[in-house]
Amino acid sequence: MSARVIDGKAVAAAVRECVAAEVKAYEAEQGRAPLLVTVIVGDDPASEVYVAGKHRACKEVGMRSLHHGLGAETSEEQLLGLVDELNRDPDVDGILVQLPLPEHIDPDRIVAAIDPAKDVDGLTPVNAGLLAHGMPGLVSCTPAGVMELLRHEGVELEGAEAVVVGRSKLVGVPVSRLLLAANATVTVCHSRTRDLAATCRRADVLVAAVGVPRLLGGDAVKPGAVVIDVGVNRTDDGLVGDVDFEAAAEVAAAITPVPGGVGPMTVAMLLVNTLAAARARV
Ligand code: NAP
């Protein structure tokens, strides 16, 4: 293996340390710590694990957090009612409705109902639109985490060829907008892309956000590229990314591992967003 392994845990710890110091200052000024409220509907085990991690992280940096665990039978109207209550509660700084939601609830309708000023997941149409227009807003946590990793690694983005595999609202599209805003030349690939490996091989910066275990092999990586693997796939071999780590690490200059790469950054950026949301509401 020749690639440097990008330590997402260490970068995330540095971000959390910064947030902890700023939370202290915020609390001293405002007499209250920022408050994040999470909502889960149903009993998806992965959601429970993710949300528990978010509460632990809040506690660690001195933020307050509350959780609403709603039964799987909760109606869309009931959930909209809770979102409305949280929107109007002046003590609440950040609202996170964990996805996926049960089939009978339209996630787009729920996300759109969240007050954009409290949308710490950065997923409301307002925040997505602000990002598309290059205007300040709350940026979705995983894409923001990808950018923070690239910044921390000192990756030169101006004029670089960046290829993003995946065009979801959650990751692919926002990360491509952020790369474009950083003056990279951005190509977005998806399930209909012809010759995916050849397109990826153009990339100085390759971001994989697909959800297919080890989809991208060594032949998809340009020698010397920086590879950011957002994918989290549960397989019989444990958690793996969308990139074949061993094969890609032979070719790349730097690569994120799974786990321990982008994942910890997502939680760290949620803390950054919650603090920013609290500050903006003062
Ligand atoms: P998603 O909504 O399912 O989107 C997947 C994207 O990949 C789609 O745009 C799809 O194309 C594309 N795609 C699927 N198969 C492909 C193929 N064979 N070749 C090229 N493109 C293909 O997934 P997501 O929410 O963006 O998540 C992507 C991955 O990131 C998942 O593994 C997820 O678990 C992980 N994730 C990790 C974190 C973290 O914190 N580490 C956070 C969020 C997500 P079409 O649009 O054409 O269908």
Side-chain angles (χ1 to χ4, degrees):
M1 187 177 93
S2 61
R4 187 173 70 254
V5 178
I6 300 172
D7 186 349
K9 276 192 203 160
V11 181
V15 171
R16 288 204 307 266
E17 207 173 296
C18 258
V19 172
E22 289 184 39
V23 166
K24 239 186 208 158
Y26 175 91
E27 198 174 359
E29 285 160 26
Q30 303 299 324
R32 62 183 283 280
L35 172 62
L36 171 70
V37 177
T38 60
V39 181
I40 293 185
V41 184
D43 49 14
D44 176 48
S47 293
E48 302 281 349
V49 171
Y50 289 142
V51 167
K54 291 167 185 176
H55 285 272
R56 266 198 312 278
C58 282
K59 200 168 174 199
E60 243 182 68
V61 298
M63 279 185 194
R64 295 174 298 146
S65 67
L66 284 176
H67 179 62
H68 292 264
L70 307 181
E73 70 294 344
T74 303
S75 70
E76 193 169 281
E77 295 311 316
Q78 283 169 322
L79 182 55
L80 285 170
L82 173 60
V83 168
D84 182 48
E85 211 177 282
L86 298 172
N87 282 344
R88 284 186 287 107
D89 185 341
D91 195 32
V92 175
D93 297 295
I95 303 170
L96 187 152
V97 179
Q98 185 69 35
L99 303 176
L101 291 166
E103 293 249 309
H104 64 277
I105 299 180
D106 175 1
D108 288 344
R109 196 166 167 221
I110 301 301
V111 168
I114 297 172
D115 177 350
K118 298 187 178 186
D119 168 31
V120 286
D121 244 352
L123 295 178
T124 56
V126 170
N127 280 316
L130 289 170
L131 179 62
H133 283 225
M135 291 162 74
L138 290 164
V139 175
S140 129
C141 303
T142 303
V146 168
M147 297 307 287
E148 185 59 29
L149 280 179
L150 292 171
R151 196 191 61 75
H152 190 271
E153 287 296 305
V155 177
E156 176 64 62
L157 292 173
E158 178 142 346
E161 286 273 355
V163 174
V164 178
V165 188
R167 56 173 165 180
S168 70
K169 282 185 274 194
L170 182 64
V171 190
V173 166
V175 92
S176 59
R177 298 225 189 268
L178 290 166
L179 287 164
L180 199 55
N183 294 321
T185 301
V186 183
T187 303
V188 182
C189 300
H190 46 75
S191 63
R192 284 359 113 68
T193 297
R194 285 192 209 118
D195 203 346
L196 183 63
T199 309
C200 291
R201 227 167 24 241
R202 297 211 306 257
D204 301 309
V205 175
L206 177 61
V207 180
V210 190
V212 177
R214 301 191 181 103
L215 175 71
L216 304 177
D219 62 337
V221 179
K222 176 178 171 178
V226 175
V227 179
I228 307 289
D229 190 353
V230 180
V232 177
N233 307 293
R234 281 164 222 284
T235 69
D236 293 342
D237 307 337
L239 279 191
V240 301
D242 294 334
V243 177
D244 181 338
F245 181 85
E246 279 75 26
E250 293 297 331
V251 192
I255 184 167
T256 57
V258 177
V262 174
M265 293 304 295
T266 298
V267 181
M269 300 318 284
L270 173 67
L271 302 173
V272 170
N273 277 354
T274 306
L275 177 65
R279 282 240 163 91
R281 294 177 55 249
V282 168

